[in-house]
Amino acid sequence: MKTLFERVFSGNDEMYAKAVAAVDEAMAKLGPNAPATFGDTAYSLPCFYAMTGKKVATVGEAKAALENEVKAFMTRNSRTKDIFTSGVATALSAEIIELMKYAMAGGTPYADPVMGHFTDAQVRELGVPLVTRDIPGVAVIIGAAPTAEEGVELVKEYQSQGIFVTLVGGIIDQCVEKGVKLGFNVRNVALGYDLSSVAHVVSVALRAAFIFGSVQAGDYEGMWRYTMDRVFAFVNAYAPVDDMTVACGAGAIQLGFPVVTNDTEENNMFRVPKSLIIQPDISKFNATSLEARDIKIKITKIDIPVAFSSAFEGEIVRRGDMQVEFDGSRKTGLELVRAKELSEVEDHRFTLIGPDFDQFEVGSKVDFCMIADVAGKNMNSDFESVFERKFHAYINCMEGVMHTGQRDVIRVRISKAAFEAGVRAKHFAEVLYAKLKSDYDAVIDKCEVTIITDPAECEKFRHEVAIPAYDKRDERLGSLTDENVDQFYTCIMCQSFSPSHVCIVTPERLGLCGAVSWLDAKATNELDPSGPCQIVPKDHIIDENIGRWEEVNDAVKKYSQGALESVTLYSIMEDPMTSCGCFECICGIEPFSNGVVIVNREHAGMTPLGMTFSEMASMTGGGVQTPGFMGHGKHFIASKKFMKAEGGLGRIVWMPKALKDQVAEKVNQSAKELYGVENFCDMIGDETITEDAEALLNYLTEKGHPVLGMDPLM
Ligand code: SF4
Ligand code: ZN
């Protein structure tokens, strides 16, 4: 029998030796100057960079990293500390093994269902669901369960709780065998078959420390403290657990991630209180893990025949798998929330007007209206749009159901599998009822749902009720400006990851995540008066042009615990609002044209700044002010307050085409009102025009872009 020290040290040595072999092979085949990168990250070789502050970009540098910094972590004095540093050295060796796979492949070495490396954009995308606890934790499952049934059961259990699942080794094939979907969109990611692929999830945790926590590269203690306090991950390792896995486990424990295994003491496994836990009964892995990492699951029991979980929010239903589709672009397809009097609503009533799903032809497009009438003593018609926007997430969380769009342009697909499991109209009603009542219990006392599928009734409802309701709402929204409301709101939801970040949410500037509008913040405040959205009065204005208020400064000072002194709402140059990391878009100054480039998270390509989204995004974040760079929501682009202090949205010189198309209508409208310019978006460059700064300037000149008449930015 070996001691725990011996197991960790020998596992570390083994992983290190594999890394040396992988580097030597790459050196022989590619040479020392060959590029070595995972691609799509601004953090070099992320785990190594996080722990040492040193960058690695070539095979030769990877070799030096192994021989110097990684080796230095492998101290062997048999103190407890050495177990942990050896664990970290094991993870760093694993990361270099993976890096060599990417170098040898000249791109990704993986193919479906294995994903490997997460992009920075993916890490950022996880920000909002992690802070809202839609994703309450991250599971790392290593090895194969005794049977595929048991393995899949554990995966599904985590998925039903919203836990983000990552898989290493045999469990991947068990999922494939049982037809469990894999991929980032279903939050069930196959990292790789080799143990070294576990480095990809460690990389997510450490990049969270960079992106959201603003922890500096090389701050070893800062890194593990951040992950320990804020990243709710844990490991499940199936027996038999070899030395290398034990060594990786030691690294996990250093980061604050407990390890649960069914391996036994007879088989040389150890127990370490709260960190290394032997659980012989694998059906209890789930409960044991959640308890060990102190993860509490909020469950809304919903009586439907398929699973309901945020894991299915990004699931795609393809045409061939589709039983029936509601398509608001071709037919009537709408959703509506109406605030009513208490006497007008019968709680939990469901009404279906028209045929149910089993009466439609397979693969057909049908008409569909989904209406929730809500009532409550504290109800306010301003909340209608807040609740209605949640339908998208609610309906998407049903396994086998896909929802896109909003208002009267929704599209919903129901898969054959969901239909065969028994999903019918009443289950949509059940989901809306249960979720609205549980999420908004402070204001919704009664809720009833009506679904219409009869084509004539749908058409009638759309014209007589829904469209007038949307129009009325738009009028109200249009009348909401920063000038004519009495208060703004803070949002500090992201502080669980970005401890000093504060968003100030105004009618004309939504939160940078894109998920919190002024109305959302108002609703959040009324639902939970001591919660993340606090009222910011605006009685004392200091400078209207730049958007400086005494009360805003007081609020950011207070809620950033003194980290911030002063924030302006309309400037990117002077005391700009901070970013956490989960912004939808990043905007940065383009010096040649004196304008700004905006990129959305979905855009993977290059920009005229010579930086990708990830690289631009890494310039700001962690609640720190960085003049010249600003994270923001998509809807902010068309706002008349966008960079108002610097001349407004006329500064925008480049956006990816897809983003431009998304915002064109509103941006053109605002530009017309601000500058009297028609079709402003046609003057803005995109990747189909050029990605080069000089060529962009020529294009702007040719088009007579308004930025050319503006003052220099710097
Ligand atoms: Fe985070 Fe700001 Fe969005 Fe609130 S509004 S969730 S603080 S990004
Ligand atoms: Zn955030």
Side-chain angles (χ1 to χ4, degrees), residues 408-694:
D408 61 346
V409 285
I410 61 168
R411 176 199 289 246
V412 178
R413 283 184 176 178
I414 300 166
S415 72
K416 288 180 185 147
F419 174 80
E420 274 149 29
V423 170
R424 300 294 180 269
K426 69 168 185 229
H427 301 117
F428 277 60
E430 199 50 40
V431 164
L432 296 182
Y433 174 79
K435 288 300 287 176
L436 285 170
K437 287 273 290 215
S438 79
D439 284 2
Y440 299 105
D441 56 339
V443 287
I444 299 179
D445 299 331
K446 288 180 173 182
C447 171
E448 72 170 89
V449 176
T450 304
I451 286 179
I452 312 176
T453 58
D454 177 88
E457 290 292 329
C458 277
E459 184 61 10
K460 186 160 169 260
F461 185 85
R462 183 165 111 99
H463 284 288
E464 292 177 8
V465 184
I467 290 180
Y470 301 139
D471 287 348
K472 196 167 150 221
R473 223 188 264 165
D474 281 342
E475 221 173 279
R476 161 87 174 126
L477 279 175
S479 74
L480 282 178
T481 61
D482 289 4
E483 288 77 24
N484 69 10
V485 296
D486 296 330
Q487 56 208 32
F488 301 148
Y489 293 92
T490 63
C491 182
I492 55 165
M493 209 114 72
C494 284
Q495 286 199 351
S496 52
F497 278 112
S498 274
S500 59
H501 172 70
V502 184
C503 274
I504 300 290
V505 181
T506 82
E508 291 176 88
R509 181 167 188 172
L510 80 169
L512 54 86
C513 58
V516 180
S517 70
W518 184 82
L519 284 177
D520 293 312
K522 179 169 184 259
T524 304
N525 175 266
E526 285 176 35
L527 291 164
D528 180 8
S530 60
C533 295
Q534 294 296 311
I535 293 171
V536 182
K538 48 184 280 272
D539 304 326
H540 300 91
I541 191 156
I542 302 168
D543 183 337
E544 187 174 7
N545 186 47
I546 201 165
R548 212 190 272 285
W549 277 266
E550 271 175 33
E551 292 88 347
V552 168
N553 286 344
D554 294 344
V556 295
K557 214 179 295 174
K558 176 169 173 200
Y559 293 104
S560 71
Q561 287 85 38
L564 292 171
E565 285 286 316
S566 162
V567 154
T568 65
L569 302 186
Y570 309 145
S571 173
I572 186 183
M573 299 305 292
E574 204 174 320
D575 300 346
M577 210 185 284
T578 61
S579 299
C580 41
C582 62
F583 37 81
E584 286 187 301
C585 304
I586 175 85
C587 125
I589 288 180
E590 201 291 298
F592 282 96
S593 62
N594 252 316
V596 291
V597 161
I598 300 178
V599 206
N600 51 319
R601 203 164 48 204
E602 295 84 0
H603 187 74
M606 196 34 83
T607 72
L609 294 189
M611 292 191 263
T612 60
F613 169 85
S614 296
E615 288 162 335
M616 282 173 71
S618 71
M619 305 295 288
T620 179
V624 178
Q625 285 176 320
T626 38
F629 285 94
M630 179 174 76
H632 58 85
K634 279 184 188 167
H635 286 299
F636 188 47
I637 300 172
S639 167
K640 288 185 190 144
K641 299 297 192 290
F642 181 84
M643 288 181 71
K644 173 169 165 278
E646 287 87 21
L649 55 82
R651 288 278 182 188
I652 304 171
V653 294
W654 195 94
M655 280 193 263
K657 178 127 192 347
L659 177 64
K660 199 159 79 172
D661 291 346
Q662 246 175 28
V663 299
E665 198 184 321
K666 289 196 171 134
V667 168
N668 284 341
Q669 178 68 31
S670 298
K672 192 171 164 191
E673 289 169 32
L674 289 172
Y675 316 104
V677 170
E678 296 282 347
N679 295 323
F680 173 57
C681 281
D682 293 348
M683 302 175 173
I684 300 176
D686 63 45
E687 74 279 17
T688 68
I689 296 162
T690 180
E691 288 170 352
D692 174 75
E694 225 166 298

Side-chain angles (χ1 to χ4, degrees), residues 20 79 102 114 121 155 168 181 195 325 495 579 582 613 632:
V20 170
R79 291 169 313 204
Y102 279 73
V114 175
V155 169
V168 175
K181 287 190 187 171
L195 180 61
E325 180 176 45
Q495 286 199 351
S579 299
C582 62
F613 169 85
H632 58 85

Side-chain angles (χ1 to χ4, degrees), residues 98 101 110-116 139-152 154-155 165-183 188-198 200 236 238:
E98 290 296 303
K101 290 184 189 169
Y110 292 121
D112 271 351
V114 175
M115 194 184 95
V140 184
I141 306 179
I142 300 175
T147 65
E149 280 79 17
E150 289 164 296
V152 162
L154 182 66
V155 169
V165 186
T166 61
L167 311 172
V168 175
I171 182 74
I172 297 174
D173 286 335
Q174 295 183 323
C175 281
V176 172
E177 183 192 324
K178 293 287 169 189
V180 175
K181 287 190 187 171
L182 290 162
N188 186 26
V189 171
L191 298 175
Y193 287 98
D194 295 337
L195 180 61
S196 54
S197 65
V198 78
H200 298 303
N236 289 170
Y238 285 115

Side-chain angles (χ1 to χ4, degrees), residues 1 38 105 261 295 343 492 532 709 713:
M1 290 269 199
F38 290 127
T261 178
I295 296 171
S343 60
I492 55 165
L713 274 171

Side-chain angles (χ1 to χ4, degrees), residues 44-320:
S44 185
L45 178 59
C47 301
F48 182 77
Y49 182 51
M51 292 312 201
T52 66
K54 299 235 164 73
K55 294 199 172 188
V56 167
T58 63
V59 172
E61 285 169 7
K63 186 173 168 66
L66 259 187
E67 287 167 357
N68 302 313
E69 287 81 8
V70 176
K71 191 86 206 181
F73 276 109
M74 296 163 66
T75 47
R76 295 295 146 84
N77 301 320
S78 294
R79 291 169 313 204
T80 314
K81 180 173 161 279
D82 298 328
I83 291 195
F84 294 134
T85 49
S86 274
V88 170
T90 312
L92 297 181
S93 304
E95 191 186 33
I96 289 177
I97 295 171
E98 290 296 303
L99 183 72
M100 290 306 107
K101 290 184 189 169
Y102 279 73
M104 294 289 270
T108 177
Y110 292 121
D112 271 351
V114 175
M115 194 184 95
H117 171 71
F118 290 71
T119 65
D120 283 2
Q122 286 173 324
V123 178
R124 289 173 186 278
E125 201 179 319
L126 294 176
V128 172
L130 284 167
V131 299
T132 57
R133 291 272 176 267
D134 268 347
I135 298 178
V138 178
V140 184
I141 306 179
I142 300 175
T147 65
E149 280 79 17
E150 289 164 296
V152 162
E153 200 179 307
L154 182 66
V155 169
K156 288 194 162 175
E157 227 174 330
Y158 285 132
Q159 279 194 305
S160 74
Q161 295 163 329
I163 302 270
F164 194 100
V165 186
T166 61
L167 311 172
V168 175
I171 182 74
I172 297 174
D173 286 335
Q174 295 183 323
C175 281
V176 172
E177 183 192 324
K178 293 287 169 189
V180 175
K181 287 190 187 171
L182 290 162
F184 185 79
N185 63 330
V186 286
R187 297 181 184 169
N188 186 26
V189 171
L191 298 175
Y193 287 98
D194 295 337
L195 180 61
S196 54
S197 65
V198 78
H200 298 303
V201 64
V202 180
S203 166
V204 172
L206 292 173
R207 272 183 285 163
F210 277 125
I211 291 173
F212 303 108
S214 220
V215 182
Q216 296 303 304
D219 179 0
Y220 179 77
E221 185 174 333
M223 286 288 165
W224 66 254
R225 283 204 183 278
Y226 183 90
T227 56
M228 188 171 282
D229 291 347
R230 299 176 195 277
V231 181
F232 290 85
F234 56 85
V235 180
N236 289 170
Y238 285 115
V241 174
D242 61 18
D243 287 350
M244 278 202 295
T245 310
V246 173
C248 285
I253 292 167
Q254 167 75 92
L255 298 179
F257 311 152
V259 178
V260 176
T261 178
N262 58 333
D263 218 345
T264 58
E265 282 167 309
E266 294 74 59
N267 202 21
N268 208 190
M269 186 42 74
F270 297 85
R271 294 173 194 266
V272 178
K274 292 199 176 103
S275 301
L276 181 53
I277 297 155
I278 296 180
Q279 173 51 272
D281 181 354
I282 56 170
S283 74
K284 294 195 178 128
F285 267 19
N286 179 288
T288 305
S289 304
L290 298 187
E291 196 193 315
R293 192 64 183 104
D294 201 17
I295 296 171
K296 301 203 173 41
I297 304 288
K298 184 181 154 212
I299 300 217
T300 317
K301 197 75 201 112
I302 304 176
D303 194 13
I304 55 171
V306 287
F308 183 90
S309 161
S310 55
F312 303 112
E313 224 181 296
E315 181 193 23
I316 290 163
V317 177
R318 295 186 201 290
R319 191 171 293 278

